[in-house]
Amino acid sequence: MRTRLLTGTNVGYLLFPRQSDAQTATDVQESLLQLTAQAPIRALILDLRIAGFGSTWPLGELLTLFADGELGTIYYADGEQPITIAGRDLAGSQTLPLAILIGPDTEGRPEIFAAALQSVGRPFDEATVLRVGHAYETATPWHTRRPT
Protein backbone atom coordinates (compact mmCIF):
# COMPACT_ATOMS: atom_id res chain seq x y z
CA MET A 1 0.00 0.00 0.00
CA ARG A 2 1.46 3.33 -1.03
CA THR A 3 0.11 6.32 0.84
CA ARG A 4 0.85 10.01 0.59
CA LEU A 5 -0.60 13.49 0.61
CA LEU A 6 -0.74 15.07 -2.83
CA THR A 7 1.79 17.88 -2.92
CA GLY A 8 0.39 21.21 -1.76
CA THR A 9 -3.01 19.76 -0.84
CA ASN A 10 -4.86 18.03 1.94
CA VAL A 11 -5.88 15.24 -0.44
CA GLY A 12 -4.83 11.75 0.63
CA TYR A 13 -3.81 9.17 -1.95
CA LEU A 14 -3.85 5.39 -1.41
CA LEU A 15 -2.49 3.10 -4.13
CA PHE A 16 -3.78 -0.43 -3.66
CA PRO A 17 -1.26 -3.15 -4.59
CA ARG A 18 -1.77 -5.67 -7.40
CA GLN A 19 -1.87 -8.57 -4.95
CA SER A 20 -3.89 -7.94 -1.81
CA ASP A 21 -4.81 -10.13 1.11
CA ALA A 22 -6.48 -9.88 4.49
CA GLN A 23 -3.65 -7.55 5.63
CA THR A 24 -4.83 -4.95 3.10
CA ALA A 25 -7.70 -3.83 5.37
CA THR A 26 -5.23 -3.20 8.19
CA ASP A 27 -2.90 -1.40 5.77
CA VAL A 28 -5.75 0.92 4.70
CA GLN A 29 -6.66 1.66 8.31
CA GLU A 30 -3.03 2.44 9.18
CA SER A 31 -2.71 4.59 6.06
CA LEU A 32 -5.78 6.64 7.01
CA LEU A 33 -4.38 7.23 10.49
CA GLN A 34 -0.96 8.11 9.05
CA LEU A 35 -2.48 10.64 6.64
CA THR A 36 -4.60 12.33 9.31
CA ALA A 37 -1.53 12.59 11.56
CA GLN A 38 0.19 14.61 8.80
CA ALA A 39 -2.67 17.03 8.05
CA PRO A 40 -6.45 17.37 8.18
CA ILE A 41 -7.58 15.39 5.14
CA ARG A 42 -10.22 17.08 2.95
CA ALA A 43 -10.63 14.30 0.34
CA LEU A 44 -9.30 10.86 -0.43
CA ILE A 45 -8.26 9.13 -3.66
CA LEU A 46 -8.44 5.34 -3.68
CA ASP A 47 -6.38 4.12 -6.63
CA LEU A 48 -7.53 0.65 -7.69
CA ARG A 49 -6.08 0.76 -11.21
CA ILE A 50 -3.63 -2.09 -10.63
CA ALA A 51 -5.68 -3.95 -7.98
CA GLY A 52 -6.27 -7.39 -9.44
CA PHE A 53 -8.47 -10.29 -8.59
CA GLY A 54 -7.84 -12.06 -5.33
CA SER A 55 -10.07 -14.31 -3.29
CA THR A 56 -8.60 -12.90 -0.08
CA TRP A 57 -9.21 -9.25 -1.01
CA PRO A 58 -11.02 -7.85 2.09
CA LEU A 59 -14.17 -6.54 0.39
CA GLY A 60 -16.42 -6.49 3.46
CA GLU A 61 -13.83 -4.98 5.78
CA LEU A 62 -13.03 -2.18 3.33
CA LEU A 63 -16.69 -1.44 2.60
CA THR A 64 -17.29 -0.88 6.33
CA LEU A 65 -14.74 1.96 6.23
CA PHE A 66 -16.37 3.83 3.35
CA ALA A 67 -20.05 2.83 3.25
CA ASP A 68 -22.96 2.32 5.61
CA GLY A 69 -26.40 0.83 5.12
CA GLU A 70 -27.88 -1.00 2.16
CA LEU A 71 -25.59 -1.11 -0.88
CA GLY A 72 -27.69 -3.19 -3.23
CA THR A 73 -29.01 -6.67 -3.76
CA ILE A 74 -27.55 -9.96 -4.94
CA TYR A 75 -30.02 -11.87 -7.09
CA TYR A 76 -30.04 -15.66 -7.28
CA ALA A 77 -32.15 -18.02 -9.37
CA ASP A 78 -34.27 -18.80 -6.31
CA GLY A 79 -34.24 -15.49 -4.46
CA GLU A 80 -32.33 -12.42 -3.49
CA GLN A 81 -30.16 -11.15 -0.67
CA PRO A 82 -29.70 -7.49 0.26
CA ILE A 83 -26.15 -6.30 0.83
CA THR A 84 -26.11 -4.33 4.08
CA ILE A 85 -22.96 -2.90 5.64
CA ALA A 86 -22.62 -1.62 9.20
CA GLY A 87 -20.15 1.16 8.55
CA ARG A 88 -17.60 2.49 10.97
CA ASP A 89 -15.83 5.80 10.71
CA LEU A 90 -12.06 5.89 10.96
CA ALA A 91 -10.40 9.27 10.56
CA GLY A 92 -13.38 10.62 8.61
CA SER A 93 -13.59 7.67 6.24
CA GLN A 94 -17.41 7.76 6.23
CA THR A 95 -17.68 11.44 5.31
CA LEU A 96 -14.61 12.37 3.25
CA PRO A 97 -15.20 13.00 -0.44
CA LEU A 98 -13.84 10.01 -2.38
CA ALA A 99 -12.39 9.68 -5.85
CA ILE A 100 -12.00 6.05 -6.90
CA LEU A 101 -9.65 5.35 -9.79
CA ILE A 102 -10.16 2.15 -11.77
CA GLY A 103 -8.62 0.84 -14.96
CA PRO A 104 -8.52 -2.16 -17.26
CA ASP A 105 -6.58 -4.17 -14.65
CA THR A 106 -9.16 -3.55 -11.90
CA GLU A 107 -11.09 -6.78 -11.60
CA GLY A 108 -12.86 -9.07 -9.17
CA ARG A 109 -13.43 -7.83 -5.64
CA PRO A 110 -11.70 -4.45 -6.18
CA GLU A 111 -14.10 -3.83 -9.08
CA ILE A 112 -17.09 -4.79 -6.91
CA PHE A 113 -15.76 -2.45 -4.19
CA ALA A 114 -15.61 0.47 -6.63
CA ALA A 115 -19.08 -0.29 -8.04
CA ALA A 116 -20.62 -0.58 -4.57
CA LEU A 117 -19.21 2.78 -3.50
CA GLN A 118 -20.29 4.38 -6.76
CA SER A 119 -23.83 3.08 -6.36
CA VAL A 120 -24.32 4.74 -2.99
CA GLY A 121 -22.33 7.88 -3.77
CA ARG A 122 -21.33 10.60 -1.35
CA PRO A 123 -23.12 13.89 -0.94
CA PHE A 124 -20.67 16.63 -1.86
CA ASP A 125 -20.50 19.37 -4.43
CA GLU A 126 -19.06 19.20 -7.93
CA ALA A 127 -16.39 21.77 -7.06
CA THR A 128 -14.83 19.32 -4.60
CA VAL A 129 -14.64 16.63 -7.28
CA LEU A 130 -12.95 19.06 -9.67
CA ARG A 131 -10.45 20.21 -7.00
CA VAL A 132 -9.52 16.60 -6.18
CA GLY A 133 -9.10 15.79 -9.89
CA HIS A 134 -6.96 18.88 -10.45
CA ALA A 135 -4.79 18.08 -7.43
CA TYR A 136 -4.25 14.54 -8.72
CA GLU A 137 -3.36 15.67 -12.24
CA THR A 138 -0.97 18.28 -10.89
CA ALA A 139 0.79 15.80 -8.61
CA THR A 140 1.08 12.85 -11.03
CA PRO A 141 1.90 12.20 -14.71
CA TRP A 142 -1.06 9.83 -15.26
CA HIS A 143 -3.03 12.35 -17.32
CA THR A 144 -0.21 12.39 -19.94
CA ARG A 145 -0.25 8.62 -20.49
CA ARG A 146 -2.07 7.11 -23.44
CA PRO A 147 -3.87 3.75 -23.48
CA THR A 148 -1.90 0.94 -25.09
Side-chain angles (χ1 to χ4, degrees):
M1 177 76 51
R2 286 196 216 153
T3 305
R4 67 185 176 105
L5 284 175
L6 296 184
T7 305
T9 74
N10 286 29
V11 176
Y13 173 81
L14 279 72
L15 174 64
F16 284 71
R18 173 166 290 290
Q19 297 297 321
S20 296
D21 55 26
Q23 179 65 33
T24 302
T26 301
D27 293 345
V28 169
Q29 292 173 36
E30 290 173 358
S31 295
L32 287 171
L33 294 173
Q34 175 189 1
L35 287 170
T36 56
Q38 293 177 39
I41 303 301
R42 296 189 50 144
L44 193 59
I45 298 172
L46 305 178
D47 192 341
L48 304 174
R49 288 179 291 181
I50 63 169
F53 181 80
S55 62
T56 59
W57 207 83
L59 179 62
E61 294 91 335
L62 290 174
L63 283 173
T64 64
L65 290 173
F66 301 105
D68 186 42
E70 191 167 328
L71 300 184
T73 305
I74 299 172
Y75 294 95
Y76 302 98
D78 59 347
E80 59 187 57
Q81 175 185 354
I83 302 168
T84 305
I85 297 293
R88 70 179 184 91
D89 188 71
L90 178 68
S93 63
Q94 289 288 326
T95 57
L96 285 171
L98 293 177
I100 302 170
L101 307 178
I102 61 168
D105 294 327
T106 309
E107 59 185 5
R109 290 181 179 195
E111 188 174 19
I112 293 168
F113 175 74
L117 292 179
Q118 180 184 14
S119 72
V120 295
R122 291 266 173 107
F124 58 91
D125 63 333
E126 192 69 22
T128 302
V129 174
L130 295 174
R131 280 194 305 275
V132 170
H134 180 263
Y136 182 75
E137 282 192 354
T138 302
T140 68
W142 277 95
H143 66 283
T144 62
R145 296 180 65 184
R146 299 287 178 245
T148 55

